[in-house]
Amino acid sequence: MNHQNKKYQPGDIIFHGGDQSDCAYIIEEGQVEIFVESNQAIIDILNEGELFGEMGVLDQSPRSTSARALTSVTLLEVKTQQITNRLAESDPIVKALVGVLLKRFRSMLPDQQLSSVNNQLLNQVTSVIEQSGFSKFKLENELRNAINGKEVQTVFQPISDIQKKCIAGFEALSRWTHPERGFMSPAEFIALAEETDLIIEVGDLVFNRAIEMLTKLPEHVFININVSAKQLDDKQFLNRVLKKAQTNGVNPKRLKLEITETLVVDFNLARKWLDKCRKIGFPVCADDFGTGHSGMEQLVELDFDVLKVDQVFIRNMFKNDRYQTILKTIAQMAINLGAKLVAEGVEGEQEYEFLKSLNFDFGQGYYFGKPMSEKDALNLQF
Ligand code: C2E
Ligand code: CA
Ligand code: CA
């Protein structure tokens, strides 16, 4: 049991200034007064539903004020662990902001309420959280500048026709080399971009480059592009892409949009989005297929044009027979549903042959080619 209700009579002290902080409180019933014991100065009067005592819990320092029940009071205790766990899991920027607020609040209190030891502890805690949060702010700024300065590159990885063993298309992937940190993993900087609206700008950059690239490629070659949740929410996104494709004379069928299963939280919304894509002519692929929790339900509810089977199935197919069984089942299911099938992460000849025997349509992976610059991609044989 992490928390419990505590009852107090009018006038009861809930905690004294200087007490060690071990929990915060939410007022379930009654009224509480926060005051300074030395001069009885009242700092605040709090009512039902309000939280107090959280300051000391956040930085683990003793109570800086006292609290007294003004009426009959019922309090819900929130233990230190519950708050610190949440804070530990929270975004570094949130942590930094909490740290700054704490520091400001404490600096407003009279000196004698803060022993030098606690001040030191507080400074240590705040400097650690400020550093982690502010370095993230800094990185976010640098990413923004890199996007504006077109330093975020787009590379293209071949997607091959498995039966004919020739290039059918590419997946466009983003790359960012940080001036000091060097190569940044897309998983890391795309996640950072997704936390803000920066992903819209990354997305537009990739779409514009892919459309330009398509004007230089043979008509039968397509490009797959990763689409994030925020782009789906942006009402103008699909129209912007369509307009760009039209002005460049590119058939929307050649731009395939990849969305991951985890992104589909609301089937009704996703279905509307898929219908809109279909009307415009953009095919939609289920990326990382088989890794989400809602795989089967998603297949019933959403009519994807392409299923991109996640790398984990390909990587393990010769390590564990059950992966082969699942791959065979997925292949049969895709045929029955009329969806095209892509295998991701194909690295060897043996994997290729097995996927071919299962009638997979396309394959992507180091076996066919690594992600490469636009120039290298255009030099390939089609
Ligand atoms: P993803 O969409 O699943 O992309 C495939 C990832 O697998 C790429 O990693 C690719 O380089 C890697 N890969 C391809 N073939 C092989 C192989 O044979 N073996 C192995 N081990 N790996 C292979 P990358 O480029 O690091 O991208 C990681 C993820 O970041 C992507 O996963 C995608 O979700 C995201 N991402 C990358 N660029 C963009 C972008 O422009 N926009 C969005 N929204 N997401 C992006
Ligand atoms: Ca993808
Ligand atoms: Ca994938």
Side-chain angles (χ1 to χ4, degrees), residues 160-167 349 352-353 367-368:
S160 287
D161 180 316
I162 286 208
Q163 304 305 324
K164 295 188 199 145
K165 216 177 175 183
C166 63
I167 292 168
E349 176 81 29
Y352 164 74
E353 292 296 344
Y367 176 68
F368 304 104

Side-chain angles (χ1 to χ4, degrees), residues 164-210:
K164 295 188 199 145
K165 216 177 175 183
C166 63
I167 292 168
F170 293 93
E171 177 172 4
L173 295 159
S174 292
R175 292 286 177 268
W176 180 33
T177 305
H178 187 279
E180 288 140 32
R181 300 182 190 213
F183 177 83
M184 300 287 290
S185 147
E188 194 183 331
F189 76 83
I190 292 290
L192 180 64
E194 275 172 344
E195 288 173 19
T196 64
D197 282 346
L198 276 181
I199 192 65
I200 304 273
E201 291 168 48
V202 176
D204 284 352
L205 197 67
V206 179
F207 267 101
N208 289 343
R209 288 190 178 135

Side-chain angles (χ1 to χ4, degrees), residues 332-346:
Q332 193 53 50
M333 208 165 58
I335 292 170
N336 294 346
L337 289 170
K340 293 276 183 207
L341 210 51
V342 187
E344 277 194 280
V346 184

